[in-house]
């Protein structure tokens, strides 16, 4: 599988433009994130395994396909990752949900997890890690390393925007984890914000600015 997939569907690109605009209010921002998350989930789940089961239609017995294996687990990187959950769960309602909270150690500057809750059998599930902004990728790389420590092997990463710096870091740290994004942006500013970006995703989602 490709390491990077830019979901360039016209609906995604249109909604993303509205999302970037600074005058977009919180309620509208949330709604757009939900819609884009659903469309990202559609692309990410394209290769889920299927199996045939016997069914009866109103006309005759038949064989038809259903999803095989354990249910997907979506893992949100707190707090902005939670913004992508609702839209994804609209499409995959039976998905399990995990959470990882990270902070930056003031001495080592490395991300440390302060909260970690995922299903015990995460090793047997396809995992989609979600965080809207892949900027430096420090949090994403650490979260994925933690999931691998728990045995997870089938991991994908979903974001709204990715910076080339973050993408390079992910490729180096986790070449086996494909990244799905609605846009590959230009780069990072001195504070680690994605340019042109959409600002602080958590603040815009939760109205905390
Ligand atoms: N996190 C955000 O919310 N926005 C950015 O641009 C980068 C990281």
């Amino acid at each position: 599988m490709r390491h990077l997939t830019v979901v360039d569907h016209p609906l995604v690109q249109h909604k993303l433009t509205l999302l970037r605009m600074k005058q977009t209010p919180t309620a509208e921002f949330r709604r757009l994130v939900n819609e884009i998350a659903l469309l990202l989930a559609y692309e990410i789940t394209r290769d889920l395994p299927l199996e045939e089961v016997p069914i009866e239609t109103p006309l005759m017995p038949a064989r038809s396909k259903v999803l095989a294996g354990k249910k997907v687990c979506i893992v949100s990187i707190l707090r902005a990752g939670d913004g992508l959950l609702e839209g994804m769960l609209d499409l995959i309602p039976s998905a399990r949900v995990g959470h990882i909270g990270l902070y930056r150690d003031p001495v080592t500057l490395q991300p440390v997890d302060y909260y970690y809750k995922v299903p015990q059998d995460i090793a047997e599930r396809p995992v989609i890690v979600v965080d809207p902004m892949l900027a430096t990728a420090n949090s994403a790389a650490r979260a994925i390393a933690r999931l691998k420590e728990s045995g997870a092997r089938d991991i994908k990463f979903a974001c709204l925007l990715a910076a080339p710096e973050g993408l390079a870091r992910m490729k180096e740290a986790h070449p086996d984890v494909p990244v799905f994004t609605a846009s590959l942006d230009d780069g990072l500013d001195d504070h680690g914000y994605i340019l042109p970006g959409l600002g602080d995703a958590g603040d815009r989602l939760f109205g905390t600015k």
Side-chain angles (χ1 to χ4, degrees), residues 1-4 134 136-137 140-141 144 148 157 163-179:
M1 180 171 271
R2 275 183 297 170
H3 187 253
L4 173 68
L134 187 67
T136 60
I144 290 167
K148 287 182 175 174
F157 181 84
E165 296 89 332
L167 201 61
R169 167 113 168 77
M170 281 287 279
K171 198 167 187 174
E172 183 198 330
H174 300 293
D176 55 319
V177 175
V179 174

Side-chain angles (χ1 to χ4, degrees), residues 28-179:
E28 171 85 351
F29 190 90
R30 250 182 230 149
R31 189 178 60 76
L32 290 162
V33 171
N34 286 343
E35 291 170 356
I36 297 174
L38 186 148
L39 294 163
L40 288 177
Y42 177 78
E43 280 300 322
I44 294 169
T45 51
R46 201 172 262 290
D47 65 348
L48 284 181
L50 292 169
E51 63 185 346
E52 272 197 356
V53 294
I55 58 161
E56 285 197 24
T57 76
L59 297 177
M60 60 178 283
R63 294 186 67 79
S64 198
K65 290 172 184 161
V66 292
L67 292 172
K70 290 246 183 194
K71 305 234 170 359
V72 168
C73 181
I74 304 171
V75 176
S76 160
I77 302 180
L78 295 172
R79 86 187 145 142
D82 278 7
L84 295 174
L85 281 180
E86 191 177 324
M88 291 211 172
L89 288 171
D90 280 347
L91 194 69
I92 326 168
S94 54
R96 307 310 191 236
V97 176
H99 287 92
I100 303 183
L102 299 151
Y103 72 92
R104 191 201 288 222
D105 185 292
V107 180
T108 65
L109 302 182
Q110 289 308 306
V112 180
D113 31 302
Y114 67 83
Y115 186 77
Y116 183 77
K117 187 78 185 174
V118 301
Q120 274 190 343
D121 56 0
I122 188 99
E124 296 154 44
R125 297 180 182 276
V127 177
I128 305 172
V129 180
V130 296
D131 193 353
M133 311 297 272
L134 187 67
T136 60
N138 282 337
S139 301
R142 173 62 202 148
I144 290 167
R146 185 73 178 79
L147 288 164
K148 287 182 175 174
E149 284 164 29
S150 296
R153 287 291 167 262
D154 176 3
I155 306 175
K156 297 187 171 90
F157 181 84
C159 58
L160 297 174
L161 302 183
E165 296 89 332
L167 201 61
R169 167 113 168 77
M170 281 287 279
K171 198 167 187 174
E172 183 198 330
H174 300 293
D176 55 319
V177 175
V179 174

